[in-house]
């Protein structure tokens, strides 16, 4: 992976909202057609994650459960289309460890992506869909 791309993926809590926004392309679980959406990504303990927040059964997640291959599209500053796979994080201890970091990042007042209401860790552990992204390139 090129150094500029690596830096763009390895965001820190100081990253701007714009730096956190990417597109992903998944394969539709019923149609088999490519589906591209915009989503935030997170970087925790050297790994990259996608998370739904408390949205119930987002289509991107169900598509990745059915077919874990995806394209991770960097589009702000550095532009790159990265081949990757997704691994759903379903075990409670691993979810809690990752989501503790994500929620702490989202709740920091200095975070440009900071939400108006504090994010509740227990809600996210219980209701979010979380996947780890592994880059193939």
């Amino acid at each position: 992976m090129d150094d500029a791309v690596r830096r763009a993926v390895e965001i820190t809590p100081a990253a701007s909202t714009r730096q956190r926004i990417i597109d992903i392309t998944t394969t539709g679980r019923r149609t088999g057609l490519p589906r591209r959406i915009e989503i935030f990504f997170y970087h925790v303990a050297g790994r990259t994650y996608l998370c739904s927040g408390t949205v119930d059964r987002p289509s991107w997640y169900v598509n990745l459960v059915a077919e874990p291959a995806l394209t991770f599209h960097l589009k702000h500053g550095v532009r790159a289309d990265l081949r990757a796979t997704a691994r759903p994080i379903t075990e409670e201890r691993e979810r809690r460890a990752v989501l503790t970091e994500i929620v702490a990042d989202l709740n920091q007042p200095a975070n440009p992506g900071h939400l108006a209401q504090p994010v509740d860790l227990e809600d996210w552990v219980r209701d979010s869909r979380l996947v780890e992204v592994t880059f193939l390139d």
Side-chain angles (χ1 to χ4, degrees):
M1 187 181 289
D2 162 294
D3 283 344
V5 170
R6 184 177 313 285
R7 283 191 304 275
V9 169
E10 294 176 353
I11 60 171
T12 69
S16 70
T17 299
R18 185 177 170 100
Q19 290 169 303
R20 299 166 186 263
I21 297 172
I22 59 161
D23 287 350
I24 60 169
T25 300
T26 61
T27 300
R29 70 190 175 285
R30 285 182 287 201
T31 66
L33 297 174
R35 300 288 182 217
R36 187 169 175 151
I37 60 132
E38 185 173 77
I39 190 170
F40 282 90
F41 77 100
Y42 305 92
H43 194 73
V44 174
R47 296 184 177 161
T48 303
Y49 296 91
L50 303 174
C51 184
S52 69
T54 55
V55 174
D56 187 39
R57 292 185 50 85
S59 59
W60 65 264
Y61 179 82
V62 227
N63 289 346
L64 288 173
V65 168
E67 171 52 60
L70 72 138
T71 304
F72 188 98
H73 306 279
L74 291 171
K75 61 184 190 171
H76 297 293
V78 175
R79 294 188 178 274
D81 299 322
L82 307 172
R83 292 180 327 114
T85 59
R87 178 181 67 91
I89 309 298
T90 57
E91 192 273 318
E92 199 268 341
R93 178 183 287 164
E94 184 178 12
R95 290 173 58 72
R96 183 170 297 280
V98 172
L99 290 168
T100 295
E101 297 298 320
I102 290 173
V103 166
D105 185 9
L106 290 171
N107 282 336
Q108 64 171 323
N111 179 347
H114 169 79
L115 304 175
Q117 301 277 331
V119 174
D120 181 73
L121 174 61
E122 295 310 315
D123 287 346
W124 278 45
V125 169
R126 182 186 60 245
D127 298 331
S128 69
R129 304 301 182 260
L130 177 66
V131 300
E132 178 184 358
V133 174
T134 300
F135 298 103
L136 302 176
D137 298 326

